[in-house]
């Protein structure tokens, strides 16, 4: 069937890796105005055709059979036979073929986002940390701790019964802290307190002594440990998430529990520390270009406190700037965690059913929750302010989401992309080019799409049937809330998206590969296999090459390596010293960055079974040539 030119897919097709049969359904065109979005998507331009027997369907796959999750787009709702119907054959049906009854993302009982169990993270498998909150309850507290279970349950019933949107409980990635804080002190916290600079002194706290030991026996060609930072904060029993790191000039900063600290990039000496009256509960992925950041702080120290206070901090000096509490909008506001994102001089605050944005420089509110049927609930920052938007529907199991680029000064959408019903905006992997992950909760499927500068569908990634793609988006439990940005393990340039596969543990040690996808077609360009018994994770781009972290293993230190944009064999840029391999490999949960010729291995959580172990935990390990 013919299609209007505006709805034709990019050269190379859309959907599963195979070539499409004639008449394959195409994705809907994005709509410029969310207020005009219909409650159900428009019917196809003509009657869809049923694929030939045994041939894979193409485009938006139909509903999979029970317990058979997979990767790809769903069909549009409708009663027509073929790919739009419920009984038509296709790649997710019961007929034999490349997608029938296969293990992994196309088969049954696959792990992670492909399987039926709750999703808890996309990255490297991680051990349970001491005192961790147990999902559903336990000594560490369940996912309703901090918000009374009755209140949350009642809220959920009211939201679902009233049809107020497509909100649901998620166990997803992000950096919010799942711990229950110590319920002591007043619920009226005092102002932040700045500690004096510690640039001068005897060097205590800079980690150099431990770092020097790690450099013993350094081999030719190996980098050295520039400095090592250990935890120096007495934390609650379940530990604390660590926010950051953020760079501003010669400062690298982090936030943990009730403080923000800045350290010299060169030697790790603490330059400043800002003590806060309550827990840090949210933070953006990056600061403004001039080194200012806005973090979320709880409005009290009891377990009933909300994450509703915004505190601006100048990372160059450690000085506290403006502070304000977000005005509550409706009875159910702040039931969810908040997510923060900075674009230019704007910080956007997302949460279930409400959003606000403020000027970072002076705290002036720029815009709030828009009128109409569709409302932003999460943001991604950087060079673009991207919003994930939820539109009110009559069926909470069949939600309608949108992706919008907003004017950061006014909040007005510059464009709107509307995926098919049922598909929800999960993560923004890259803002330029724009690459977005969508998930289908009911079908236990996900897909990755690339959008153009004007918000049109550019392509849908089409991995091989045995390739399970993965990105590290953290590992925490949030109530309703969603953090859209901050995933690592991915990279992109103008026309290519790079992502790793899940680890293959079938051999003597874990290994994986990196796949490069053409953003104009969605098809793989090439794949690079990691060296034997090693794991590669993309970090970004460096001088036109793909920058990757080669993870350590039990007897070998990690390294920063590069791949040319055409693929090939990894080339070592910075080999970490073997003497630091034990420490590098001992991080429970880490984030790795490469900046200014240095690599930073950064702990994203500090937790231990006792105070002594807690104060011995490494929070940052820095290497340089």
């Amino acid at each position: 069937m013919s299609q209007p030119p505006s709805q034709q897919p990019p050269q190379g097709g859309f959907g599963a890796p195979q070539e499409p049969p004639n008449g394959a359904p195409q994705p809907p065109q994005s709509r410029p105005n969310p207020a005009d979005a219909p409650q159900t998507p428009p019917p196809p331009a003509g009657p869809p055709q049923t694929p030939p027997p045994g041939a894979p369907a193409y485009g938006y796959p139909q509903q999979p059979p029970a317990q058979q999750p997979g990767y790809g787009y769903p069909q549009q709702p409708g009663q027509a036979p073929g790919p739009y119907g419920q009984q038509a054959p296709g790649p997710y049906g019961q007929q034999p073929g490349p997608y029938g009854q296969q293990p992994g993302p196309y088969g049954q009982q696959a792990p992670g986002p492909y399987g039926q169990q709750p999703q808890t993270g996309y990255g490297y498998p991680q051990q349970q940390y001491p005192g961790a909150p147990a999902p559903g309850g336990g000594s560490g507290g369940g996912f309703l701790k901090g918000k009374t279970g009755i209140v949350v349950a009642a809220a959920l019933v009211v939201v679902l019964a009233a049809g107020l949107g497509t909100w649901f409980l998620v166990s997803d990635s992000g950096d919010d802290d799942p711990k229950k804080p110590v319920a002591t002190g007043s619920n009226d916290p005092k102002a932040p307190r700045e500690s004096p600079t510690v640039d001068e002194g005897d060097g205590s706290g800079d980690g150099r002594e431990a770092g020097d030991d790690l450099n013993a026996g350094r081999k030719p060609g190996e980098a050295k440990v520039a400095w090592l930072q250990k935890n120096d904060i007495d934390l609650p029993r379940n530990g604390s998430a660590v926010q950051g790191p953020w760079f501003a000039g010669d400062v690298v900063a982090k936030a943990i529990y009730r403080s923000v600290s800045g350290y010299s990039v060169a030697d790790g000496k603490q330059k400043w520390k800002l003590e806060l009256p309550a827990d840090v509960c949210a933070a953006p992925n990056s600061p403004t270009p001039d080194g200012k950041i806005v973090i979320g702080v709880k409005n009290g120290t009891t377990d009933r406190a909300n994450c509703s206070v915004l505190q601006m901090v100048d990372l160059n000096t450690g000085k506290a700037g403006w502070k304000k509490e977000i005005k509550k909008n409706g009875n159910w506001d702040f039931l969810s965690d908040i997510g923060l994102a900075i674009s230019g001089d704007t910080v956007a605050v997302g949460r279930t059913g409400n959003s606000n944005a403020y000027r970072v420089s002076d705290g002036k509110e720029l815009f709030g929750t828009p009128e109409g049927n569709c409302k932003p609930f999460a943001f991604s920052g950087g060079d673009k302010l991207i919003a994930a938007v939820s539109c009110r529907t009559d069926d909470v199991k069949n939600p309608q989401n949108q992706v919008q680029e907003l004017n950061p000064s006014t909040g007005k959408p510059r464009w709107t992309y509307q995926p098919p019903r049922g598909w929800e905006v999960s993560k923004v992997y890259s803002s330029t080019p724009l690459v977005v992950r969508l998930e289908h909760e009911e079908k236990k499927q996900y897909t990755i799409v690339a959008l153009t500068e004007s918000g049109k569908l550019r392509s849908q990634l089409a991995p091989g049937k045995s390739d399970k793609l993965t990105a590290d988006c953290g590992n925490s439990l949030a109530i309703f809330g969603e953090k859209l940005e901050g995933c690592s393990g991915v990279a992109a340039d103008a026309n290519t998206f790079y992502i790793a596969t899940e680890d293959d543990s079938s051999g003597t040690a874990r290994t994986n590969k990196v796949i490069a996808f053409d953003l104009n077609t969605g098809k793989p360009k090439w794949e690079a296999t990691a060296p034997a018994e090693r794991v590669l994770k993309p970090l970004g781009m460096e001088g036109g090459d793909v920058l990757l972290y080669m993870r350590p293993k039990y007897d070998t230190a990690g390294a920063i390596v590069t791949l040319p944009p055409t693929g090939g064999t990894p080339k070592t840029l910075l080999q970490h010293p073997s003497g630091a391999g034990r420490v590098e490999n001992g991080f429970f949960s880490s984030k790795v960055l490469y900046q200014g010729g240095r690599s930073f291995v950064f702990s994203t959580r500090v937790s231990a079974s006792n105070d002594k172990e807690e104060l011995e935990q490494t929070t940052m390990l820095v290497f340089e040539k």
Side-chain angles (χ1 to χ4, degrees):
M1 66 182 174
S2 61
Q3 299 243 349
S6 63
Q7 291 187 330
Q8 292 288 356
Q11 184 70 27
F14 183 94
Q18 291 76 20
E19 293 298 321
N22 293 333
Q26 304 297 330
Q29 185 178 3
S30 61
R31 301 184 181 278
N33 188 347
D36 298 333
Q39 293 304 302
T40 56
Q49 300 177 2
T50 303
Y58 194 75
Y60 298 115
Q62 70 279 358
Q63 173 75 32
Q67 295 188 355
Q68 192 166 355
Y71 177 100
Y73 250 114
Q75 78 286 356
Q76 295 287 349
Q79 300 302 320
Y84 289 83
Q86 298 301 316
Q87 302 299 327
Y92 297 89
Q94 295 292 342
Q95 80 280 8
Y99 293 87
Q101 303 299 330
Q102 295 288 335
Y106 296 87
Q108 298 182 5
Q109 303 301 327
Y114 301 87
Q116 299 298 323
Q117 68 271 30
Q119 179 178 325
T120 58
Y122 306 99
Y124 202 80
Q126 298 176 4
Q127 63 191 19
Q128 184 76 2
Y129 57 84
S139 62
F143 62 84
L144 297 181
K145 285 289 186 180
K147 299 291 181 184
T148 304
I150 296 176
V151 174
V152 174
L156 182 61
V157 171
V158 171
V159 170
L160 297 183
L164 294 179
T166 57
W167 327 127
F168 55 92
L169 287 171
V170 296
S171 173
D172 205 336
S173 49
D175 293 329
D176 298 315
D177 183 5
K179 67 165 184 62
K180 175 182 176 182
V182 178
T184 60
S186 167
N187 200 38
D188 183 20
K190 299 177 182 179
R193 182 166 60 88
E194 298 161 12
S195 66
T197 178
V198 288
D199 270 330
E200 305 299 332
D202 61 3
S204 62
D206 67 3
R208 288 306 298 266
E209 291 181 1
D212 290 341
D213 291 339
L214 296 175
N215 286 324
R218 190 159 55 98
K219 300 173 183 177
E222 289 185 339
K224 65 180 180 181
V225 175
W227 51 276
L228 178 150
Q229 185 71 43
K230 290 187 176 182
N231 175 49
D232 58 358
I233 299 174
D234 186 17
L235 300 172
R237 62 189 177 114
N238 285 337
S240 176
V242 187
Q243 307 282 3
W246 308 293
F247 294 90
D250 64 347
V251 172
V252 56
K254 67 179 182 182
I256 179 171
Y257 190 37
R258 298 177 182 177
S259 67
V260 187
S261 301
Y263 305 88
S264 167
V265 169
D267 59 18
K269 290 185 178 180
Q270 190 178 89
K271 297 176 73 71
W272 52 261
K273 183 175 183 180
L274 178 66
E275 295 185 356
L276 300 167
D279 295 13
V280 176
C281 50
N285 195 50
S286 56
T288 63
D290 63 350
K292 294 181 175 62
I293 200 163
V294 177
I295 58 175
V297 180
K298 289 192 174 182
N299 65 354
T301 56
T302 72
D303 60 358
R304 295 179 179 273
N306 290 323
C307 186
S308 60
V309 176
L310 301 181
Q311 175 67 67
M312 191 268 273
V313 181
D314 187 334
L315 299 178
N316 298 285
T317 64
K319 301 293 184 184
W322 57 267
K323 172 184 174 182
K324 65 171 53 182
E325 184 159 7
I326 307 167
K327 184 183 297 184
K328 187 175 181 179
N329 183 22
N331 292 332
W332 306 114
D333 202 2
F334 298 112
L335 179 66
S336 72
D337 298 326
I338 67 171
L340 300 176
I342 288 178
S343 180
D345 194 28
T346 297
V347 58
V349 186
R351 56 206 187 276
T352 303
N354 283 289
S355 59
N356 304 78
Y358 303 87
R359 199 154 52 205
V360 176
S361 54
D362 60 11
K364 178 183 177 183
E365 184 169 4
L366 298 173
F367 54 90
T369 305
E371 298 293 333
N373 188 54
C374 301
K375 302 182 186 300
F377 63 89
F379 298 93
S380 173
D383 56 352
K384 295 175 182 174
L385 183 59
I386 302 297
V389 179
S390 182
C391 301
R392 186 182 296 113
T393 70
D394 56 358
D395 183 359
V396 295
K397 292 185 177 181
N398 190 25
Q400 179 65 71
N401 272 199
Q402 296 174 342
V403 181
Q404 294 179 344
E405 180 186 355
L406 304 185
N407 182 322
S409 298
T410 65
K412 299 296 183 183
R414 290 174 171 164
W415 51 256
T416 297
Y417 167 73
Q418 183 163 294
R421 284 283 297 270
W423 288 86
E424 297 175 281
V425 184
S426 170
K427 300 293 174 186
V428 172
Y429 285 153
S430 168
S431 58
T432 303
L434 185 54
V435 181
V436 179
R437 175 181 169 121
L438 305 173
E439 296 187 12
H440 198 295
E441 178 72 10
E442 287 293 302
K443 298 182 179 181
K444 305 300 181 186
Q445 297 175 349
Y446 80 86
T447 189
I448 300 171
V449 297
L451 303 180
T452 67
E453 288 293 313
S454 59
K456 305 296 182 183
L457 182 68
R458 185 178 179 184
S459 67
Q460 178 192 16
L461 268 59
K465 63 182 180 181
S466 62
D467 291 330
K468 301 178 184 179
L469 308 181
T470 181
D472 186 2
C473 299
N475 186 5
S476 70
L477 196 61
I479 301 177
F480 295 101
E482 183 72 35
K483 185 172 182 180
L484 206 58
E485 63 178 15
C487 295
S488 60
V490 295
D493 58 28
N495 295 302
T496 311
F497 180 69
Y498 310 91
I499 188 170
T501 62
E502 289 184 4
D503 301 350
D504 179 359
S505 57
S506 60
T508 57
R510 295 179 182 274
T511 189
N512 75 335
K513 61 185 178 181
V514 174
I515 304 178
F517 289 91
D518 188 327
L519 288 176
N520 293 316
T521 66
K523 296 181 178 180
K525 284 184 175 182
W526 51 260
E527 60 183 47
T529 302
E533 300 186 345
R534 303 303 295 270
V535 172
L536 291 175
K537 295 293 180 181
L539 297 179
M541 305 301 295
E542 179 76 11
D545 291 336
V546 189
L547 190 70
L548 306 107
Y549 178 49
M550 186 157 62
R551 286 186 163 171
K553 59 176 188 174
Y554 66 95
D555 60 351
T556 308
I560 304 296
V561 302
T562 60
L563 277 171
T566 53
T569 303
K571 178 182 177 181
T572 301
L573 182 63
L574 193 69
Q575 175 62 56
H576 297 168
S578 54
R582 177 183 56 82
V583 177
E584 183 182 3
N585 198 38
F587 281 81
F588 157 70
S589 176
S590 65
K591 180 187 295 185
V592 179
L593 299 95
Y594 181 81
Q595 180 156 324
R598 298 181 179 91
S599 59
F600 296 78
V601 184
F602 176 83
S603 176
T604 60
R605 184 171 190 89
V606 175
S607 182
S609 58
N610 58 65
D611 289 345
K612 182 178 179 181
E613 290 182 6
E614 182 178 86
L615 296 176
E616 286 297 315
Q617 287 209 2
T618 302
T619 57
M620 206 174 326
L621 182 61
V622 183
F623 302 96
E624 64 182 9
K625 288 185 178 180

